[in-house]
């Protein structure tokens, strides 16, 4: 599997502030790679360096084998970018916005006309192709921005917080489109502070905190880092106080919480504990109504790795970030 993006010790200073601190990672061809972290973690600054919008203080970044510092124009032809600074021309129609961007990339007329129609249909915008972009909702504008970023058929798409500020329906549509794009072999690097979004979309995730990458792996392997025990939720057909106390005393089980007919018990080895729990239920003439197991979530992994509470992911940008336009 080849690497479309290669980053080595990428660093960015703003005076005494270290926005990105020796970041190193690789993005495989055709995958969705996520940068997950709270606002101010360094996600947007990393994207800006990888797209040539910000010059790194040190380190190297290769995009499709091209060094951004040595050959920025050729590298930029291979990428599409959707960020909070990307803009549309509100006075132009959706169709004319795409045609304008296509001309900037030197696309010949027949190809740009066909490509614009293809993208507008894919993004559900074809019926509104003659409407001015200024009349579009936030969700429709985001779709058009992504279409514009894809007009020249880039191999790599950078999405900076693609669903921030969108309503639930629009955010769900954008996530669905991201899945379709990866099916067409587009490599995607996205930033997000939505833990569930990263879990749903990304094949691999880099967790950032205070400018440093503290972990890189698949969502499942990140969850496994904190998996010490599983939780069983057992619902009986009647109160199970006595059985619950005996369940708690079994080997391979830990604490048990009782709430009426439901018992929640922590187990180290479900394969060993489950048969004994079923036997105890029979001894006490209890019927098991439902049995569920839960595993650690990506949120659990985030908390364990960063020491941060998940609520930091929903905090607003700091005044410094607003001032510099950076994260």
């Amino acid at each position: 599997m080849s690497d479309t993006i290669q980053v080595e010790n990428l660093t960015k200073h703003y005076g005494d502030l270290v926005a990105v601190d020796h970041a190193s990672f690789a993005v495989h061809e055709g995958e969705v790679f996520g940068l997950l972290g709270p606002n101010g973690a360094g996600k947007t600054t990393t994207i800006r360096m990888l797209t040539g919008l910000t010059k790194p203080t040190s380190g190297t970044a290769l995009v499709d084998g091209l060094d951004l510092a040595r050959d920025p124009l050729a590298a930029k032809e291979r990428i599409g970018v959707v960020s909070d600074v990307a803009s549309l021309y509100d006075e132009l129609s959706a169709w004319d916005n795409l045609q304008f961007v296509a001309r900037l990339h030197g696309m010949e007329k027949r190809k740009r006309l066909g490509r614009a129609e293809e993208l507008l249909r894919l993004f559900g915008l074809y019926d509104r192709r003659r409407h001015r972009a200024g009349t579009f909702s936030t969700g429709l504008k985001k779709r058009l921005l992504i279409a514009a970023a894809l007009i020249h058929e880039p191999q790599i798409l950078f999405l900076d917080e693609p669903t921030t500020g969108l309503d639930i329906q629009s955010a769900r549509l954008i996530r669905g489109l991201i899945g379709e794009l990866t099916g067409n072999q587009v490599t995607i690097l996205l930033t997000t502070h939505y833990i569930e979004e990263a879990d749903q979309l990304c094949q691999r995730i880099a967790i950032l905190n205070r400018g440093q990458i503290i972990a890189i792996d698949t969502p499942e392997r990140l969850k496994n880092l904190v998996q010490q025990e599983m939780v069983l939720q057992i619902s009986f057909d009647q109160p199970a106080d006595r059985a619950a106390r005996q369940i708690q005393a079994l080997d391979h089980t830990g604490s048990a919480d009782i709430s009426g007919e439901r018992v929640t018990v922590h187990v180290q080895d479900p394969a060993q504990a489950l048969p004994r729990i079923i036997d105890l239920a029979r001894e006490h003439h209890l019927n098991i109504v439902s049995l569920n197991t839960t595993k650690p979530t990506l949120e659990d992994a985030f908390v364990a790795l960063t020491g941060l509470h998940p609520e930091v992911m929903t905090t607003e940008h700091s005044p410094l970030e607003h001032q510099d336009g950076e994260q």
Side-chain angles (χ1 to χ4, degrees):
M1 183 181 297
S2 60
D3 292 332
T4 306
I5 301 172
Q6 296 170 297
V7 176
E8 190 70 31
N9 291 321
L10 202 61
T11 302
K12 181 62 181 178
H13 293 180
Y14 291 102
D16 294 332
L17 173 67
V18 182
V20 177
D21 189 1
H22 294 86
S24 297
F25 60 91
V27 180
H28 305 323
E29 182 179 2
E31 81 170 332
V32 180
F33 185 92
L35 299 179
L36 173 66
N39 291 320
K43 304 185 304 295
T44 294
T45 300
T46 300
I47 288 263
R48 288 178 64 85
M49 288 190 286
L50 294 179
T51 55
L53 296 175
T54 295
K55 185 177 180 180
T57 304
S58 61
T60 59
L62 301 181
V63 175
D64 202 24
L66 296 169
D67 191 324
L68 275 164
R70 297 178 181 175
D71 204 353
L73 292 180
K76 288 179 181 180
E77 278 302 307
R78 289 162 167 78
I79 66 176
V81 185
V82 179
S83 69
D84 56 357
V85 296
S87 61
L88 300 166
Y89 291 95
D90 285 348
E91 68 277 9
L92 296 181
S93 67
W95 179 268
D96 289 339
N97 264 285
L98 294 190
Q99 293 304 307
F100 177 76
V101 176
R103 291 190 188 97
L104 289 180
H105 286 283
M107 296 177 67
E108 58 95 14
K109 184 176 181 180
R110 175 181 290 184
K111 186 172 184 179
R112 71 171 183 258
L113 293 178
R115 181 66 172 161
E117 179 175 346
E118 176 189 357
L119 289 169
L120 289 169
R121 290 189 184 280
L122 174 65
F123 284 79
L125 297 171
Y126 189 74
D127 289 344
R128 300 195 62 175
R129 64 191 182 280
R130 300 302 179 191
H131 294 197
R132 290 189 303 108
T135 67
F136 284 9
S137 66
T138 302
L140 291 178
K141 284 184 176 180
K142 184 74 74 169
R143 287 191 239 171
L144 185 56
L145 279 170
I146 298 176
L150 292 168
I151 190 70
H152 61 296
E153 298 183 291
Q155 294 96 323
I156 306 162
L157 181 63
F158 291 89
L159 298 174
D160 190 13
E161 303 282 0
T163 62
T164 297
L166 300 186
D167 60 81
I168 293 175
Q169 183 177 2
S170 296
R172 183 178 297 171
L173 178 60
I174 294 297
R175 294 184 188 115
L177 290 169
I178 290 172
E180 290 188 33
L181 292 174
T182 55
N184 294 324
Q185 295 303 305
V186 177
T187 301
I188 297 177
L189 191 154
L190 68 86
T191 73
T192 183
H193 59 268
Y194 298 140
I195 296 175
E196 290 183 0
E197 181 170 86
D199 195 2
Q200 176 184 342
L201 293 177
C202 301
Q203 278 82 58
R204 289 188 303 134
I205 297 168
I207 296 179
L208 281 78
N209 189 29
R210 297 184 178 180
Q212 294 185 328
I213 294 178
I214 58 177
I216 301 177
D217 218 323
T218 66
E220 289 306 313
R221 287 176 181 167
L222 289 172
K223 296 171 194 176
N224 287 340
L225 291 175
V226 296
Q227 183 169 348
Q228 298 176 348
E229 56 185 22
M230 294 182 67
V231 177
L232 297 180
Q233 291 183 335
I234 311 161
S235 294
F236 298 100
D237 61 348
Q238 55 185 293
D241 300 44
R242 185 178 176 187
R245 289 192 291 272
Q246 290 182 291
I247 288 172
Q248 186 172 346
L250 292 173
D251 292 337
H252 310 290
T253 64
S255 60
D257 298 317
I258 308 166
S259 178
E261 294 84 14
R262 176 179 292 179
V263 176
T264 301
V265 59
H266 296 256
V267 299
Q268 297 173 353
D269 188 343
Q272 295 289 332
L274 270 173
R276 289 295 299 128
I277 292 173
I278 293 172
D279 288 343
L280 276 172
R282 288 172 179 162
E283 290 174 16
H284 291 275
H285 306 289
L286 297 170
N287 293 318
I288 296 177
V289 177
S290 66
L291 175 62
N292 298 305
T293 61
T294 61
K295 294 182 178 180
T297 64
L298 189 59
E299 182 177 287
D300 295 325
F302 175 84
V303 171
L305 290 166
T306 65
L308 299 173
H309 192 280
E311 286 183 0
V312 304
M313 303 295 273
T314 60
T315 56
E316 296 298 322
H317 298 284
S318 70
L320 177 62
E321 289 163 357
H322 280 302
Q323 179 180 342
D324 293 345
E326 298 283 349
Q327 291 191 69

